[in-house]
Amino acid sequence: MIYNNDLNINYSSPCFHHAQIMSSCSESLTKVTLELGGKSPLIIFEDADLRNAVSTAMLANFFSQGAVCSNGTRVFVHRSILEDFTSQLVERTRKLKVGNPMDPDTKVGATICRMQYDKIVQYLEGARREGAKVLCGGEPVTLTDPELQEGLYIPPTILGDCTDDMTVVKEEVFGPVLSILVFDSEEEVITRANDTPFGLSAGVCTQNLSRAYRVISQLEAGSCNINTYNMFPTYLPFGGHKSSGMGRELGEECLDYYSQTKAVYVETGDPWCPFE
């Protein structure tokens, strides 16, 4: 890396090397923007439109084989709608086609590399050991097309019976793995949603906008959605709280991290001076 205090270093990755990068940049006072991943919550309240809530959960987990840093992989569902929500989610997820990304009908392609593939498989094995129930997916698949058989394919996976202390619930998997957690009250779910070192994104599904604004205002996350997910147009700043990073990408705020402010005062008359 080249460090210069007129520049900004932008680093996007899981929380592995950020401290080293910040330390190196501090030697020359180079500014740093860090986007370090997350373990984001999506909260489904009992009054949510059920089909739209299922769509939102799928948006929050299955784009790009789940390799999206802002994904809402901790899906908190109100107990009163848990059965109906889970049934619809599993039914629709099973219909997602895994295959060649060049095929317009394909919804899920191959995992990017062997290292990440092995990591996802290990998380799934650990989830089973810790008591999670695989409701959909959960096992690598081999495609019948000879040209695709060397690909590393993991189908969209839904885990039920999850608890907050499970490894797959606490750590960023970076794969198509959705964990369902049940809750009973608004106060409870806000506390649990915030009980993470991460704070990149969050989402809320409810038809009560007063509740949506109230809950979103209490969630410790930098980029939030209401009744949808992973919608970050370029005019909205994107970035995290807590261990999910510092600084912002996109929006006008992004320009602050790539700019230096210069103040210039121009006197057009005689300068004020108290000295004789």
Side-chain angles (χ1 to χ4, degrees), residues 15 18 34-41 69-70 74 193-194 196-202 215-224 237-249 257:
C15 306
H18 61 285
L34 301 174
E35 191 273 277
L36 303 173
K39 193 66 185 177
S40 302
C69 55
S70 58
R74 294 187 295 145
N194 287 334
T196 172
F198 298 106
L200 184 55
S201 300
V215 172
I216 283 289
S217 70
Q218 296 177 73
L219 294 178
E220 297 167 355
S223 301
C224 301
F238 178 81
H241 294 181
K242 301 191 288 189
S243 292
S244 285
M246 58 190 298
R248 290 295 180 268
E249 303 169 12
Y257 296 93

Side-chain angles (χ1 to χ4, degrees), residues 4-267:
N4 184 298
N5 58 14
D6 288 330
L7 302 176
N8 178 70
I9 299 298
N10 185 300
Y11 176 76
S12 297
S13 185
C15 306
F16 299 142
H17 309 294
H18 61 285
Q20 180 180 356
I21 290 173
M22 290 185 67
S23 177
S24 297
C25 290
S26 69
E27 297 176 4
S28 61
L29 301 182
T30 300
K31 294 183 292 184
V32 184
T33 303
L34 301 174
E35 191 273 277
L36 303 173
K39 193 66 185 177
S40 302
L42 170 61
I43 302 172
I44 313 293
F45 283 103
E46 67 273 20
D47 67 334
D49 180 291
L50 202 56
R51 178 170 177 77
N52 288 343
V54 170
S55 297
T56 297
M58 297 173 77
L59 287 170
N61 283 274
F62 300 142
F63 269 130
S64 191
Q65 295 67 249
V68 180
C69 55
S70 58
N71 270 356
T73 54
R74 294 187 295 145
V75 180
F76 292 90
V77 183
H78 193 273
R79 191 180 301 275
S80 65
I81 61 169
L82 177 64
E83 184 175 346
D84 289 342
F85 174 86
T86 302
S87 175
Q88 290 191 32
L89 177 63
V90 169
E91 179 183 3
R92 290 177 59 184
T93 299
R94 283 177 175 161
K95 296 177 181 178
L96 299 180
K97 180 180 178 180
V98 179
N100 186 344
M102 302 305 291
D103 180 351
D105 293 331
T106 294
K107 302 302 180 185
V108 180
T111 304
I112 187 66
C113 65
R114 169 65 67 176
M115 182 179 69
Q116 184 61 27
Y117 173 86
D118 291 342
K119 176 183 174 183
I120 297 169
V121 170
Q122 290 172 8
Y123 273 115
L124 292 175
E125 292 172 349
R128 291 187 182 91
R129 288 194 301 269
E130 293 182 12
K133 181 179 180 181
V134 178
L135 305 177
C136 178
E139 295 286 350
V141 297
T142 301
L143 303 184
T144 57
D145 186 336
E147 294 184 356
L148 303 176
Q149 289 184 353
E150 296 300 317
L152 305 171
Y153 297 92
I154 296 177
T157 298
I158 300 170
L159 301 177
D161 295 342
C162 294
T163 57
D164 296 344
D165 59 348
M166 290 179 176
T167 302
V168 73
V169 174
K170 295 189 297 182
E171 298 182 6
E172 185 177 37
V173 178
F174 219 58
V177 181
L178 182 160
S179 300
I180 296 178
L181 301 120
V182 63
F183 74 95
D184 293 295
S185 72
E186 180 179 311
E187 181 179 8
E188 169 209 344
V189 76
I190 292 172
T191 299
R192 292 170 61 194
N194 287 334
D195 188 18
T196 172
F198 298 106
L200 184 55
S201 300
V204 172
C205 287
T206 175
Q207 296 187 67
N208 184 334
L209 285 181
S210 294
R211 165 185 270 176
Y213 294 139
R214 181 173 66 246
V215 172
I216 283 289
S217 70
Q218 296 177 73
L219 294 178
E220 297 167 355
S223 301
C224 301
N225 284 171
I226 295 174
N227 293 327
T228 188
Y229 206 88
N230 275 332
M231 297 299 173
F232 303 118
T234 56
Y235 51 80
L236 286 182
F238 178 81
H241 294 181
K242 301 191 288 189
S243 292
S244 285
M246 58 190 298
R248 290 295 180 268
E249 303 169 12
L250 308 180
E252 292 184 10
E253 287 82 351
C254 173
L255 301 178
D256 292 339
Y257 296 93
Y258 295 90
S259 305
Q260 290 278 15
T261 300
K262 177 179 289 187
V264 180
Y265 181 94
V266 179
E267 175 61 73

